[in-house]
């Protein structure tokens, strides 16, 4: 409940602090969704037995993906015809809210602009979708400022299942998570794993999200605020999307990211709590 800058009211902080201490003192286990959150509580309550604090991460809903994949499998494929097709246009997607602080996309279109100027990307071969960024107009202004509006589309929100379908249809997925969010993990990272799509993390390497990506085997990332680093990462990332060699989450990573697995962890904790 208490964070360094929230709440700001001294009276409210005192109340929150009292509720929090009573909860931590009296509970059998305290469960958090990230290791950083767990560490912060251990530091704030050094007199509490460390074994009381545990992590169960968020996850994805397999039933939702199962329905979508079954529907896709039931749809007949359309065979290509006519002259040989031009090289396929690669689609990158970021699905979700962006912020000026922590998830500022400004450096990303700057990186694309540098690659475009060098003749390394163009609108014929690359499409980037920024879906539901929060401020569509503000994000579009950043894209236009760097002259990459022919490559980047800034689009409004869609229903949840449509968003999942869009992830499944993309060639690669983007994840923005800067330093202010180092102790948090966006829940969509687990949905990203399930799509079996390559992921490029634009993250602080010291943050919790970067650690989750590395642990899952995604070794290519870039600092979200560094346009040159993002451009270099894109140069390495895009060829793997075109030839199919880019890394995707393993079956083990996907299974461990499912809510079924998380529910089993919680069930074991309930058994331990009442034993």
């Amino acid at each position: 409940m208490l964070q360094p800058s929230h709440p700001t009211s001294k009276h409210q902080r005192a109340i929150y602090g009292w509720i929090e201490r009573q909860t931590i003192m009296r509970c059998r286990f305290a469960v958090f969704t990230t290791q950083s959150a767990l560490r912060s509580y251990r530091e704030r309550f050094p007199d509490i037995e460390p074994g009381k604090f545990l992590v169960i991460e968020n996850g994805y809903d397999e039933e939702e993906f199962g329905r979508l994949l079954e529907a896709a499998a039931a749809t007949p494929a359309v065979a290509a015809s006519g002259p040989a097709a031009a090289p396929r246009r690669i689609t990158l997607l970021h699905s979700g809210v962006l912020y000026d602080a922590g998830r500022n996309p400004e450096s990303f279109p700057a990186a694309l602009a540098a690659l475009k100027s060098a003749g390394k990307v163009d609108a014929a071969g690359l499409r980037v979708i920024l879906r539901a960024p929060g401020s569509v107009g503000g994000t579009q202004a950043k894209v236009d400022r760097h002259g990459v509006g022919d490559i980047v589309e800034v689009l409004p929100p869609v229903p949840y299942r449509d968003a999942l379908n869009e992830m499944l249809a993309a060639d690669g997925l983007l994840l923005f998570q800067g330093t202010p969010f180092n102790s948090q993990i966006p829940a969509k990272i687990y949905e990203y794993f399930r799509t079996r799509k390559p992921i490029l993390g634009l993250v602080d390497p010291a943050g919790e999200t970067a650690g989750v990506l590395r642990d899952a085997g995604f070794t290519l990332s870039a600092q979200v605020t560094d346009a040159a680093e993002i451009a270099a990462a894109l140069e390495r990332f895009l060829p793997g999307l075109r030839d199919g060699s880019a890394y995707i989450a393993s079956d083990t990573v996907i299974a461990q990211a499912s809510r079924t697995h998380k529910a089993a962890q919680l069930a074991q904790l309930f058994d331990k709590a009442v034993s």
Side-chain angles (χ1 to χ4, degrees), residues 190-209:
Y190 307 103
E191 295 169 342
Y192 275 17
F193 291 163
R194 178 59 183 88
T195 64
R196 299 181 189 274
K197 300 293 182 178
I199 302 169
L200 178 60
L202 307 181
V203 295
D204 181 340
E208 193 89 14
T209 300

Side-chain angles (χ1 to χ4, degrees), residues 169-255:
D171 296 291
L173 301 171
L174 300 169
L175 191 66
F176 291 80
Q177 191 81 331
T179 304
F181 300 109
N182 271 2
S183 64
Q184 301 174 30
I185 302 170
K188 68 171 167 279
I189 195 172
Y190 307 103
E191 295 169 342
Y192 275 17
F193 291 163
R194 178 59 183 88
T195 64
R196 299 181 189 274
K197 300 293 182 178
I199 302 169
L200 178 60
L202 307 181
V203 295
D204 181 340
E208 193 89 14
T209 300
V212 169
L213 286 172
R214 285 192 299 269
D215 290 345
F218 293 91
T219 57
L220 181 60
S221 65
Q223 175 62 258
V224 66
T225 56
D226 191 325
E229 196 171 307
I230 294 171
L234 283 169
E235 278 197 81
R236 294 175 57 197
F237 188 59
L238 293 175
L241 302 186
R242 294 193 175 95
D243 64 22
S245 65
Y247 177 80
I248 62 174
S250 68
D251 289 344
T252 299
V253 166
I254 291 171

